[in-house]
């Protein structure tokens, strides 16, 4: 199939990136690799700038994983533009590979094998053909990314549900009941703990905190924000179609990413 297309490779190991580009040239001569980047932030920036047809994202990259970069990119992608076909490059174990397979997101294992890459190319070309005929479904891509986040980041054992958050206040430690928290927000190396009228900082990463929260009461609404559902007052849609939350006991409005907009289907 002589499908002409453009691609972006995000891979932090130059030799592996060069090997993938070389094998792609054999498997898909009509594919033009527009750029190669080595980290998640650059992958998002270049993808938004170039808007390629295909993304090859390494799962493990400095600062931001390929999956996290894909999630951010989906949130920032221009409204109405077809989202690129997404291929993950991974050295993950069989459990994670099964997660990719069940979500119909294609993947390439390291080191890249030409025969496997040929099958990936065929799948991507088919996806691009369906996209050209109006068959692409951005909501399906978002659903795949949601499930992948849960499958890849799930802890081996489910921790006990958190009841109290221990926060430092000067030389003291304050015990903040989880039911008093309005929302948690990632901030550099810390997580902000927002309650009515107060704000605290803790060092536990949001990724580690999230599995300890009751999923029925605490909803992730953005890659760095988890809100207590009962604290949500109203949900507003702006002129661009994006959702924002107004909370009880807090003046700020919180944006809802596309990945989690399905939580507010009534909107």
């Amino acid at each position: 199939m002589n499908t002409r297309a453009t691609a972006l490779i995000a891979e932090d190991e130059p030799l592996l990136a060069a090997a993938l580009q070389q094998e792609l040239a054999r498997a898909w001569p009509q594919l033009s690799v527009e750029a190669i980047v080595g980290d998640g932030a650059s992958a998002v920036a270049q993808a938004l700038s170039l808007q390629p047809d295909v993304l090859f994202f390494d799962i493990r990259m400095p600062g931001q994983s390929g999956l996290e970069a894909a999630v951010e990119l989906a949130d920032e992608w221009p409204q109405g533009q077809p989202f690129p076909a997404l291929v993950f490059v991974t050295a993950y174990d069989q459990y994670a590979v099964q997660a990719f397979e069940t979500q119909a997101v294609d993947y390439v294992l390291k080191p890249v094998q030409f025969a496997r890459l040929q099958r990936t190319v065929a799948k991507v070309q088919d996806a691009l053909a369906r996209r050209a005929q109006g068959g692409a479904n951005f909501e399906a891509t978002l659903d795949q990314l949601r499930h992948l986040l849960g499958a890849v980041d799930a802890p081996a054992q489910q921790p006990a549900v958190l009841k109290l958050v221990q926060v430092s206040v000067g030389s003291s430690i304050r015990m903040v009941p989880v039911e008093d928290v309005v929302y948690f927000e990632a901030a550099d190396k810390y997580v902000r703990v927002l309650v009515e009228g107060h704000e605290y900082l803790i060092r536990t990463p949001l990724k580690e905190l999230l599995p300890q929260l009751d999923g029925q009461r605490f909803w992730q609404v953005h890659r760095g924000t988890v809100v207590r559902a009962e604290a949500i007052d109203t949900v507003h849609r702006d002129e661009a179609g994006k959702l924002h939350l107004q909370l009880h006991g807090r003046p700020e409005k919180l944006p809802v990413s596309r990945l989690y907009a399905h939580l507010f289907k009534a909107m």
Side-chain angles (χ1 to χ4, degrees), residues 131-206:
R131 188 181 79 173
Q133 297 170 1
N137 187 339
F138 188 40
E139 287 302 318
T141 299
L142 293 177
D143 191 50
Q144 290 164 358
L145 290 174
R146 277 192 293 268
H147 283 84
L148 279 173
L149 280 172
V152 173
D153 293 337
Q157 287 186 325
Q158 191 65 30
V161 175
L162 193 66
K163 300 293 185 183
L164 295 169
V165 182
Q166 300 183 33
V167 300
S168 296
V169 181
S171 59
S172 304
I173 293 178
R174 176 168 293 175
M175 312 299 284
V176 178
V178 170
E179 62 188 22
D180 290 347
V181 176
V182 178
Y183 69 97
F184 297 94
E185 183 178 57
D188 295 326
K189 297 180 180 180
Y190 298 90
V191 167
R192 299 170 66 208
V193 182
L194 288 300
V195 301
E196 187 171 347
H198 295 282
E199 173 183 335
Y200 308 100
L201 292 177
I202 58 175
R203 290 183 177 272
T204 304
L206 194 62

Side-chain angles (χ1 to χ4, degrees), residues 24 31 37 45 49 132 137 141 156 165 175 209 218 226-227 264:
L24 279 170
L31 181 70
V37 298
S49 174
N137 187 339
T141 299
V165 182
M175 312 299 284
L209 186 65
F218 285 88
V226 177
V227 175
F264 309 98

Side-chain angles (χ1 to χ4, degrees), residues 236 244-247 250-255:
H236 302 277
H244 299 266
L245 305 181
Q246 185 68 61
L247 307 174
R250 298 293 310 182
E252 58 269 30
K253 291 183 179 179
L254 302 182

Side-chain angles (χ1 to χ4, degrees), residues 26-45:
R26 290 177 58 203
W28 193 352
Q30 296 80 16
L31 181 70
S32 173
V33 176
E34 299 293 290
I36 298 176
V37 298
D39 63 88
S42 297
V44 173

Side-chain angles (χ1 to χ4, degrees), residues 10 14 45 51 57 78 136 139 205 219 225-226 240 264:
Q51 296 191 16
F57 276 12
E139 287 302 318
W219 297 357
T225 312
V226 177
F264 309 98

